[in-house]
Structures are given as structure tokens and as C-alpha cells.
Amino acid sequence: MDEYRFPDSRLKKKMDDSSKTPLLLVACGSFSPITFLHLRMFVMAADYVKHNTEFEMIGGYLSPVSDAYKKQGLAAAEHRVAMCQLAIDKASTWLMVDTWEAEQKEYQPTAKVLDHFDHEINIVRKGIDAGDGTRKPVRIALLAGADLIQTMSTPGVWSEQDLDHILGRYGTFIIERSGTDIDEALASLQNYRDNIYVIQQLIQNDVSSTKIRLFLKRGMSVQYLIPAPVVEYIEQNHLYTDDHRGSSTSLSHPQDNDKGKSKETTASAS
């Protein structure tokens, strides 16, 4: 990959309403490959923010995990970054792909990834122009699927320090998913309830990267399940085939003590 530069070309430069709190959403995950559901998550969140909160959306980022995550079915980071970029290039005006996490040689817990965005947005760029002659700090939040909250409510999966850092300092926007008992999960996270925003998925979409990889392995078409440029890229680079070229499927899973993203942090990024 080229020398790292934080992407900010699609960030909103000035707020429309200075009375609101500027919000930046970050989705962390494998994106192996990215699906329409990953993109829809941002759109659903934007609608929710607009109609139900006092936030103002200023941008959204996809942050693909590094190869050090060593998850089964994980294509090389350069491929996953490229697919994410292809997915948003012409389909969005406010979504961006940040490669910082993907470029790290060591696995980075989600808490550290959010710290990276906080640094780039609020320290380096000093927040956002509020439109009234002042600058406002931006609220950084994690965008994820309901399965994330389930893992966070399960003892021993996440370290207490990371859990408090993510939910206490930043907060999360969660997309509901059929078959997930989110109320039970939220009950054990009451200390952070004010920082957890649950978004109902009005049109159910259960497309997952796991299912896409299975289709491809079986030689079945994934057209109209993932963005067309991503389909073309997968075919050109022979990804997710039986010989697993460009994939790191033979590598082992991270150790249990390396928590922070032991489960996918996107709706269906597995």
C-alpha cells in the first residue's frame, strides 16, 4: 500500500445546524468481501440520526481489519481495502475507506481504532467548523450489527477496559438483526444505555460475507448481492475460490486475550 494519509475529502467541512452535535460513524470489520448490507448500515444510521437525534452526520468510514486478525476467509488487506474503495467510489458522497487499521502489522483492538479517528478528527483537524465562528469537537461512534452487542454482553469476550472505552467514551449505533435478542443483551449493559442507539432494520437483509464466500466457493453467482465493481474485482483476482488465492484462510484465529474485535463489529461482516 502507498504511504498512509488520512482520507478527509468527503468530510463535511461546516455544520448546517450549530446547535447539534457533529457525529462521525466508523464501521470496523473484515469486509471480506464488502456487501450491500455494510453500505446500507450507514444509510439506515443516517436516517435514524436525522429523524431521531440531535446529532448531525459529518461523515462515515469503513475500517478494514489488518491481516494480523488471521480470521478464516480473510482475503489479503490490499484486496479488502480495494473492494471497499470500489464499493463507495461512485455510490456515496460521504463514505470513505481508512487504511490505517489495515496497514498495521499487529492486530488493533476496536478501542484503539476509535482512538485513531478521534485523534485525526479532533486533535489534528480540531473538530469541525460549527458555522457560527467556532469549532466543535466531533462525536466519534462505532457503527455495528446486533451481534456486537451480544458479544459485549457476554462475560469474558471483551475486556472490561475496552468495553468501557468504547461504550463509555464513544458509544455505538447498532443495527437490529432478525434472530438476535437485543433486549437481553442491552439489559446487561445498562451502565452504557445512553450511549447505545438501536436502529430498527425495517427491510430485513441477512446477506453476509460468509454467505458470499460460500456462493463463490461453489461457483454460484453473487451478482446483485454485492456491488458490481466488487464482483468484477473478485473475478479478476480469483478471490474466494477453492484454491483460496489471495486469501489467508489457513491462518489461525487471534488468541482469546487479544480482545476488542473477537467477533465481527459490522452487521454481517463475517
Side-chain angles (χ1 to χ4, degrees):
M1 296 183 184
D2 297 330
E3 184 178 354
Y4 175 75
R5 290 185 62 184
F6 184 76
D8 62 2
S9 61
R10 294 181 175 181
L11 274 179
K12 182 178 282 190
K13 300 298 187 282
K14 181 184 292 187
M15 295 186 68
D16 296 323
D17 186 345
S18 61
S19 68
K20 293 190 174 183
T21 301
L23 174 70
L24 180 83
L25 292 181
V26 178
C28 302
S30 299
F31 304 111
S32 190
I34 189 170
T35 72
F36 278 125
L37 180 53
H38 292 130
L39 303 177
R40 274 292 301 169
M41 286 172 59
F42 282 97
V43 177
M44 287 185 278
D47 280 342
Y48 178 87
V49 166
K50 179 180 179 180
H51 298 293
N52 300 281
T53 76
E54 290 303 312
F55 291 115
E56 180 176 322
M57 192 80 76
I58 70 159
Y61 285 91
L62 296 160
S63 181
V65 73
S66 76
D67 291 336
Y69 188 41
K70 300 179 181 179
K71 184 179 186 294
Q72 186 174 7
L74 192 69
E78 63 178 313
H79 289 310
R80 292 180 288 109
V81 166
M83 288 187 284
C84 286
Q85 196 63 57
L86 286 169
I88 66 165
D89 268 349
K90 297 180 180 178
S92 174
T93 59
W94 61 283
L95 294 182
M96 292 158 281
V97 181
D98 180 52
T99 64
W100 179 83
E101 183 182 3
E103 292 178 16
Q104 301 305 303
K105 297 188 182 302
E106 295 182 357
Y107 163 73
Q108 300 296 313
T110 303
K112 287 188 177 181
V113 177
L114 295 177
D115 283 345
H116 156 72
F117 281 95
D118 185 44
H119 174 79
E120 289 288 348
I121 299 297
N122 289 318
I123 304 301
V124 177
R125 288 161 183 78
K126 296 179 173 56
I128 185 175
D129 184 346
D132 60 0
T134 65
R135 295 191 72 81
K136 271 192 170 185
V138 175
R139 173 76 174 273
I140 311 295
L142 181 67
L143 175 63
D147 49 347
L148 174 80
I149 283 296
Q150 281 196 319
T151 66
M152 285 183 162
S153 64
T154 303
V157 177
W158 292 71
S159 72
E160 287 296 327
Q161 182 179 2
D162 279 1
L163 203 60
D164 185 67
H165 197 67
I166 294 168
L167 297 181
R169 177 172 179 177
Y170 296 113
T172 183
F173 285 74
I174 298 294
I175 307 295
E176 278 189 327
R177 190 178 181 184
S178 59
T180 302
D181 189 352
I182 199 167
D183 291 333
E184 181 180 348
L186 290 173
S188 64
L189 297 170
Q190 281 301 315
N191 289 346
Y192 307 107
R193 192 62 186 88
D194 290 343
N195 272 353
I196 301 174
Y197 300 85
V198 179
I199 303 168
Q200 186 178 4
Q201 191 175 178
L202 298 177
I203 299 178
Q204 294 298 321
N205 182 341
D206 67 349
V207 172
S208 71
S209 299
T210 301
K211 293 176 182 178
I212 295 299
R213 293 195 303 270
L214 183 60
F215 268 47
L216 292 167
K217 184 177 180 180
R218 293 177 176 177
M220 299 169 68
S221 173
V222 293
Q223 192 174 18
Y224 308 126
L225 292 175
I226 61 178
V230 177
V231 175
E232 184 177 356
Y233 184 91
I234 289 172
E235 292 174 349
Q236 290 176 345
N237 291 276
H238 311 289
L239 301 178
Y240 311 116
T241 57
D242 278 331
D243 58 2
H244 302 299
R245 282 174 290 182
S247 175
S248 55
T249 53
S250 63
L251 299 175
S252 61
H253 196 277
Q255 296 299 311
D256 287 345
N257 61 359
D258 195 9
K259 301 301 180 186
K261 204 188 285 96
S262 59
K263 299 289 184 182
E264 282 304 332
T265 53
T266 56
S268 299
S270 58

